[in-house]
Amino acid sequence: MDYAILDIETTGGKFNEEGIIEIAVYRFNGEKVTDTFISMVNPERKIHFYVQKLTGITSKMVLAAPKFYELAKRLIEITENAIIVAHNANFDYRVIKNEFKRLGYNYQRLTLDTVNLSKKLIPNMPSYSLGNLCSELGIPVSDRHRAHGDARATVQLFQLLLAKDINKNIITSFIQEETSNKKEENNKINKLLKSLPQLPGVFYLLDANGTIIYLASSRNISIKARLILTHNHRKSKIILKQTVSINYELTGSAVIAEIKALNEEIAILPKFKATKENYPFLQGIFIKGDQFTIAPITHKNKKSAWLAFSTVEEAESFLENFTYTETSKNNYFLKEDKLLLLGIGRNKNEHSFLYLEKGLLKGYGYYKLHSQIKSVERIQKIMIPATANLNLQLLIRNLVYINKKLIKKVITLE
């Protein structure tokens, strides 16, 4: 039996939109490596900042690398008639299948996950991450978080697992079990996700008793729910097992979805908490007197940041085009007594609104296009009370000053 032991590094980003930036495959016949394929890959898309920091691979490094379609034939050849082996195999296999799908090719291989296999053959380990396993087992790892380094370490781990499988039936049964379980899981996932829209909102995973066990916001409910249910993390497996139905509420706005989810999670206290995504804004604009400065955002200074950006260049570009006025600092921070921010609604017949007092969010809501809500009394009658954390407060100001298409109007109330 031949195995294709592999590892990939990806751009990061949205589920099923990741691109491969490095791949390493070792063809292994159970005794020795018989073929090797290692290459950087030009993903033709941006590499997430955190991936660059983790792997050391930058966009500049992959610029001259071959694109995936140029490597596809070699990848097919080296994995032909072999079982793909990887640490967290579901992730690597899914990304590779998606790359082939974009080329119009249906790539199919049996897979074997060394995480699950290690749990069976080496029980009671403190952690089953590749780094921790190798450290506990004395397997040397060089070039950690690079495809060739991690794949080479997986080869040595798999050799140990083969040796521990004395009866030579555990690995075979795992291949069959994973294939069978995967089909059952896919059927359940497809059934749960069948009616979910690709629109902004909040979705709720319910157990057999109708209790909300998990809730999260997204600008695309269908994609985010699929990510939660298909992730190879142990928590996702448990959530999938306990979920029997999914409800959702559209919000029209991704910002309102975040606000709604934040406040409902505090009120409902679901069994599983949503994993918080990495904060996308790394650089802030700070106001000192009448001077605007750009600096990295930290936990200590986030509260005093005016606006936030992913890069210094984006912040500089904004300031170059920003029209300075005599408006006070308080106005920049939306600290007027009462403010109404009007935005897009859940359908074409309504608007959404955010209501702020002295710069702090007090609530949100919706109203029909023909209605008038310019009085505080009227707003308070129809709004849903809510608060926002620091990240959301920054995001709200970004909507007013940067992403102006999403905030149609800013009204100062008496």
Side-chain angles (χ1 to χ4, degrees), residues 82-148:
I83 296 166
I84 286 181
V85 178
H87 210 67
N88 290 323
N90 283 350
F91 172 78
D92 299 71
Y93 184 52
R94 174 181 62 79
V95 174
I96 291 170
K97 277 177 63 73
N98 280 337
E99 290 281 16
F100 276 109
K101 188 176 179 180
R102 294 179 190 119
L103 300 178
Y105 181 82
N106 184 23
Y107 181 81
Q108 296 286 341
R109 298 287 187 270
L110 291 176
T111 63
L112 189 56
D113 189 348
T114 50
V115 175
N116 296 332
L117 200 54
S118 296
K119 289 177 180 178
K120 179 68 175 178
L121 293 167
I122 317 174
N124 304 318
M125 295 293 283
S127 167
Y128 287 91
S129 71
L130 182 61
N132 288 332
L133 266 179
C134 289
S135 177
E136 290 285 335
L137 300 172
I139 296 172
V141 183
S142 59
D143 298 314
R144 184 76 175 99
H145 298 301
R146 290 295 299 270
H148 56 280

Side-chain angles (χ1 to χ4, degrees), residues 193-205:
L193 301 175
K194 188 176 180 181
S195 61
L196 296 187
Q198 296 192 20
L199 293 168
V202 178
F203 62 92
Y204 311 85
L205 307 187

Side-chain angles (χ1 to χ4, degrees), residues 239-363:
I239 291 173
L240 173 59
K241 188 175 181 180
Q242 296 186 17
T243 300
V244 299
S245 63
I246 304 179
N247 291 343
Y248 66 87
E249 289 186 26
L250 299 179
T251 59
S253 157
V255 177
I256 291 182
E258 286 194 50
I259 294 168
K260 181 178 175 65
L262 172 70
N263 286 269
E264 290 185 347
E265 186 177 68
I266 294 169
I268 294 171
L269 295 175
K271 185 175 181 180
F272 302 98
K273 285 191 175 182
T275 302
K276 303 304 177 187
E277 296 180 356
N278 291 323
Y279 187 57
F281 300 130
L282 306 173
Q283 302 293 328
I285 293 179
F286 298 83
I287 304 174
K288 296 180 181 179
D290 59 353
Q291 297 296 313
F292 294 80
T293 60
I294 300 170
I297 291 178
T298 66
H299 289 294
K300 290 182 179 179
N301 68 12
K302 186 184 289 185
K303 192 173 183 179
S304 60
W306 172 40
L307 299 176
F309 300 82
S310 298
T311 66
V312 172
E313 291 74 18
E314 289 177 4
E316 289 175 342
S317 176
F318 172 80
L319 286 181
E320 286 174 5
N321 296 290
F322 179 65
T323 303
Y324 294 89
T325 67
E326 297 299 320
T327 310
S328 69
K329 176 180 174 181
N330 278 349
N331 287 72
Y332 284 133
F333 281 83
L334 307 178
K335 286 192 175 181
E336 293 89 338
D337 280 348
K338 297 176 178 65
L339 273 183
L340 195 63
L341 311 182
L342 306 184
I344 57 175
R346 296 161 295 188
N347 56 61
K348 62 182 181 180
N349 297 317
E350 71 177 12
H351 286 313
S352 64
F353 68 84
L354 300 176
Y355 176 61
L356 284 69
E357 290 183 1
K358 298 188 182 299
L360 297 177
L361 179 72
K362 293 298 179 180

